[in-house]
Amino acid sequence: MTHRRTPGSSSPPLLIAQMDSPQDESTGDFYYRTYAPAVGMAHCRNVHAVSLTNIHRLKRKVMREADVLVMNNICDADLLPVIRERKARGKLTVYELSDDLDEIPPSNPIREFYAQTSNMLLIKRLAHYCDALQFSSPELMRKYGYLNPNHAVFPNHILEIPPERRVRRGDTVAVGWGGSLGHLHDMEKIAQRLIEWIRTKENASLHLMCDEQIWRLFDKLPENREERHPTGSRRDYYSFVSQLDIGIAPLEDTPFNRSRSDVKFLEYAAHGTVPVVQATGPYLLSVQHGKTGFLYSSPDELISTLDLLVSDFPLRMKISSAARKYVLRERNQLKRGQDRTEFYRGLLAGLGASSESRAGNAETIFDELCRCEGARRSGRHLHLAPTRCELLLRDALTGMSQYPSQCREMFMEAARIKPDLYMPYLFAASLSEDPVAMLKTAIEKNPSSIVSMLHLGKAYSSRGMTMEAIECCRSAAEIFPEYEQPYIECANYLNAIGLKQEGIALLQKAIALIPAVIKNPRPG
């Protein structure tokens, strides 16, 4: 459902925080779902917006003070007491699902994490417990909208519109694609037909910006008919796209792909590149076949469309112009920021949040954050970019399995930089010779950390200290009694010491705590 109100000068000030999971903040995922929406909302009247990840050293202050907190794909039980506190203070918390986490393909390295039942259950619990749920595509809303009655779809938009491209008829038409290794199977489906076609076309060349594995799919093409661009930053990718005459977007019809964004179409269109995309999921809703781009359903249809476009320069100009106009009119982030702010203001009104209590506070907190190291301010938008502390945490989290000793030192260096942070001790515990001491320190610095308490229980259990492990589970349950995981883990410890009836009783309690809507979802 969507709440709307007409904004005006009487709209109270808002501080909106967009918080994402730990990642390289130069990537497209962070840019389109966290950074760009915050910039768009900051262009709305009386709105200040902040973008950050949830390993930022200032995240606890941001989560406490923001009038609206949007959390993208974050799986962290320590958020449960934060949301509860925000509810008590009349502050709005919104969960965002921007991927079908139940359907991550096997080739994706994050699949193992989300394949764990406890993690997916926690994500659904967070989505249900928040005041609202938002999605990046209609397919995600269709599938997961049951989790929260307050939900909306906010598709990706283009934040930076490049200058209009001056295209001249050339001797060779550049056909291209750029993307991540996650699209390996998509490219495999068309590689052979594309190779055969390029070989027959003296006036066409293939340009790719991709991983080595995808590049090897096209080994059989003559060197003078293909051009490889090294993968790089988002701006490098934009520069690559701006050189293409035709951009292709293969996308297999899988549950995960059906929930993807149509951002590749938007990027092609904005840069004056003719989009030729597979008739799947996101593209079916945004591409007008033969007007703003072309849809294809098979490799043969792809080739016939390329044949048509390569031979018809006026048609390419007509389609690229119409596609760009669509993006400028309908998918411009600076023009669509109001969609989100109206939704949030309507929900805040429903919470009974006091306008007077927020008057002046948003700007005050925003100004305080702007004075912090790493703060990158542009108007009323602030990106809390990673400093040395956050980079250490992020890189150590990424390399833990391969370089445990180096990563342990990186966590400890982050702790020396910011002594009051609990995260370095929590993350370093599994790499430490004394995980109990590490986790006790984490709990001292954040007594409401459910995750630290449960990990401490596991550390005790590994030492044969089962009663201490049980006490940790009980302490975790006291922090947030409605969360089932402490009872499940406690039941396992009870079973281990022969108290099976007590364990069964706790498991039954845990099952009863899981919201009915999660246990018995409505079919999508």
Side-chain angles (χ1 to χ4, degrees), residues 375-503:
R376 298 177 183 175
R377 177 177 185 171
S378 178
R380 293 195 302 275
H381 172 254
L382 173 65
H383 177 204
L384 290 176
T387 63
R388 174 69 176 165
C389 180
E390 289 81 28
L391 290 174
L392 285 165
L393 293 177
R394 186 192 74 192
D395 293 345
L397 282 169
T398 303
M400 286 175 69
S401 60
Q402 291 180 293
Y403 312 104
S405 59
Q406 296 96 317
C407 290
R408 181 178 63 246
E409 289 305 312
M410 291 165 70
F411 285 132
M412 290 301 92
E413 184 181 346
R416 289 190 289 272
I417 294 172
K418 190 67 175 172
D420 61 336
L421 280 187
Y422 81 104
M423 291 179 289
Y425 298 96
L426 169 60
F427 299 153
S430 64
L431 308 176
S432 172
E433 295 178 358
D434 190 356
V436 168
M438 282 283 187
L439 291 163
K440 283 184 175 181
T441 302
I443 293 167
E444 287 174 8
K445 296 180 182 299
N446 182 9
S448 64
S449 174
I450 298 171
V451 178
S452 299
M453 198 67 73
L454 292 179
H455 278 283
L456 180 57
K458 292 175 183 176
Y460 276 134
S461 178
S462 69
R463 294 183 176 185
M465 303 169 68
T466 307
M467 295 310 298
E468 287 81 355
I470 290 171
E471 282 304 311
C472 287
C473 291
R474 288 172 176 164
S475 296
E478 289 176 2
I479 296 171
F480 197 85
E482 298 88 357
Y483 181 39
E484 71 282 347
Q485 194 61 29
Y487 305 102
I488 293 172
E489 296 190 18
C490 189
N492 292 334
Y493 299 140
L494 288 169
N495 288 336
I497 59 175
L499 299 176
K500 294 186 177 180
Q501 290 303 315
E502 291 87 341

Side-chain angles (χ1 to χ4, degrees), residues 149-164:
N150 294 320
H151 56 252
V153 175
F154 298 115
N156 284 343
H157 296 301
I158 293 293
L159 177 60
E160 302 170 57
I161 304 294
E164 189 168 4

Side-chain angles (χ1 to χ4, degrees), residues 135-182:
F135 305 97
S136 55
S137 72
E139 177 64 14
L140 284 170
M141 184 178 72
R142 183 196 67 79
K143 187 170 181 179
Y144 296 105
Y146 70 88
L147 289 170
N148 198 307
N150 294 320
H151 56 252
V153 175
F154 298 115
N156 284 343
H157 296 301
I158 293 293
L159 177 60
E160 302 170 57
I161 304 294
E164 189 168 4
R165 180 178 175 185
R166 293 184 178 180
V167 182
R168 296 179 181 177
R169 190 193 301 266
D171 294 331
T172 304
V173 177
V175 179
W177 175 89
S180 68
L181 186 58

